[in-house]
Structure formats: structure tokens, C-alpha cells
Amino acid sequence: SQQGEEDPQALSIQEGENATMNCSYKTSINNLQWYRQNSGRGLVHLILIRSNEREKHSGRLRVTLDTSKKSSSLLITASRAADTASYFCATGIIQGAQKLVFGQGTRLTINP
Amino acid sequence: DVKVTQSSRYLVKRTGEKVFLECVQDMDHENMFWYRQDPGLGLRLIYFSYDVKMKEKGDIPEGYSVSREKKERFSLILESASTNQTSMYLCASSLPTTQRYTQYFGPGTRLTVL
């Protein structure tokens, strides 16, 4: 069963604006990661936030994690046309093997 | 940089054929994974392996098998391909460190079963 659910499913904004995507999950996690997928390609890891962290930055990316609400958000600031892609959250569960459970993704379109 | 390669970008097969999808990683990762990706369903785990000759079922293993004879290579086998196995197949690998779980993906194989 799917662990993470992204919201919105699709987002279209103008270049230069900020883009915010949200992810909710159901069970306890070890960490939460965000991945990016360009159309028809594999996924690329963007950023990881551990369960004991609340916020993390990497370049134009900012990730927050609220374990009490079982939710995370990914903010991309000053968006560029090249940011057009699908973005997935993935949760690293505590028990079992080191699997990730992926959400269904948010399709982000940056309009020039 | 980690490199994960998949044997084909596009593949067309007929119903009932036996299909082999190959994945190779060059970073000595213990863990390897096979996913399928379908519109509206996201990525679903088919099988994974945490060591040579070791394998575990994921969420949707029916109709698939896997083989891991060497650490760097993880093969997905469709024993008798069916049209509902038309999909994008993604391979990934990761280190077994307990605090990271970051996965590195190949470019994907888009399989069409006619």
C-alpha cells in the first residue's frame, strides 16, 4: 500500500515564483526523502531529512518535516523552467529491510 | 558518481514471451530494487535484494521473478509476459547504512507487451 501521498497532484506556476509540494504519510519513519523525475527518466535524489530533524536546506530547496502530523513539504524557491519535473516523496520505514515507500508524485510545470 | 544502467530503454515483447530486464550498478551497493511505475499509481516495489543470491518480495511480485548471481547485477524476469505488465520498469541500488536509505536509479526501461 502507498505510504506517502503528495498534494497537489499537479502544480503550474510562473518562472520565478516559489513552488510548494506537500507529502503525508501513515506510519513511523526513519527518514523522508524527496526525488525528482524528468519525463521518461529515472529518479534523482534531491534531499533527505531524518525523523529527528524539522527543516533542511539545499540550494533553492527547503524541506520541512512534522512527525506529529506525519507530513512534509518541499519548497523550491525562485523556480526555473528547468525545474519542470515530477517530484516524489519517499519514506524510509523503521522496520524490515531498507526499503523506501514512494508517493504518487506531484507534476510541477514552470511556465516561462 | 554512482551509475546504474539498465539493458534497454525501450522494449517491445509479445504476450507469453519470457522477458529479461537487466540492471547493473558500479558502486558495490549491497541493496538493489526493481520497481514498476504506472500513471496514477506511483512507484511500486516488485522485488529487492540485499545481498548476492538473496531476494525478498515487494508489494507486487506476482508474475515476476528475480536473479542476483553477482553483486553488481540484478535481473528482473517476466516468466510469461502479459499486457498488464506494460509499464516503466525502474532499477535502483543503495548502501545498507542504517541512517541513509538513499537510492540511486537507472534511466528506466519502458516495456510494451503486445
Side-chain angles (χ1 to χ4, degrees):
Chain A
S1 60
Q2 292 294 330
Q3 161 84 310
E5 294 184 5
E6 280 95 340
D7 172 53
Q9 292 188 359
L11 180 62
S12 181
I13 61 174
Q14 295 300 120
E15 195 167 18
E17 293 181 341
N18 295 342
T20 299
M21 289 159 273
N22 302 297
C23 170
S24 60
Y25 58 91
K26 297 175 183 175
T27 62
S28 296
I29 62 171
N30 179 287
N31 63 73
L32 187 143
Q33 305 181 34
W34 286 89
Y35 287 79
R36 166 197 168 119
Q37 183 182 36
N38 285 16
S39 183
R41 308 293 298 186
L43 279 70
V44 176
H45 177 256
L46 294 175
I47 193 166
L48 178 150
I49 186 165
R50 295 188 174 88
S51 59
N52 61 354
E53 297 176 314
R54 292 296 167 259
E55 188 170 312
K56 201 158 184 182
H57 297 253
S58 177
R60 293 185 296 113
L61 304 180
R62 173 182 162 236
V63 170
T64 61
L65 178 64
D66 186 336
T67 53
S68 67
K69 296 180 179 179
K70 291 186 168 60
S71 67
S72 173
S73 66
L74 171 67
L75 169 67
I76 303 174
T77 60
S79 63
R80 305 167 181 169
D83 294 329
T84 293
S86 292
Y87 292 82
F88 294 85
C89 70
T91 48
I93 59 175
I94 293 176
Q95 67 272 23
Q98 293 163 2
K99 299 185 293 183
L100 293 176
V101 181
F102 287 84
Q104 296 179 13
T106 293
R107 176 67 190 167
L108 175 64
T109 302
I110 309 298
N111 302 302
Chain B
D1 282 348
V2 176
K3 189 157 187 181
V4 180
T5 58
Q6 296 182 228
S7 49
S8 305
R9 287 298 317 280
Y10 300 94
L11 205 54
V12 179
K13 295 292 182 180
R14 297 206 175 273
T15 300
E17 281 192 78
K18 191 169 186 176
V19 181
F20 293 86
L21 302 182
E22 304 284 338
C23 176
V24 178
Q25 50 93 5
D26 66 358
M27 283 302 292
D28 205 36
H29 284 175
E30 276 79 1
N31 299 332
M32 295 189 76
F33 307 83
W34 274 107
Y35 297 89
R36 66 176 282 176
Q37 183 178 22
D38 301 288
L41 297 177
L43 274 74
R44 293 180 291 168
L45 182 64
I46 304 171
Y47 267 98
F48 65 99
S49 168
Y50 50 88
D51 202 351
V52 175
K53 297 191 185 294
M54 305 300 287
K55 61 185 179 184
E56 286 198 25
K57 294 180 180 179
D59 299 319
I60 51 164
E62 296 77 19
Y64 304 93
S65 63
V66 290
S67 172
R68 191 158 181 209
E69 297 295 321
K70 293 184 178 181
K71 191 175 187 180
E72 67 271 17
R73 188 179 298 268
F74 192 34
S75 302
L76 180 69
I77 304 155
L78 286 65
E79 297 292 343
S80 177
S82 64
T83 55
N84 63 12
Q85 292 179 309
T86 291
S87 186
M88 170 73 110
Y89 289 88
L90 292 165
C91 173
S93 71
S94 72
L95 286 167
T97 53
T98 56
Q99 294 299 316
R100 291 199 64 82
Y101 298 24
T102 299
Q103 293 187 9
Y104 298 87
F105 282 81
T109 294
R110 187 166 294 281
L111 173 67
T112 301
V113 182
L114 301 176

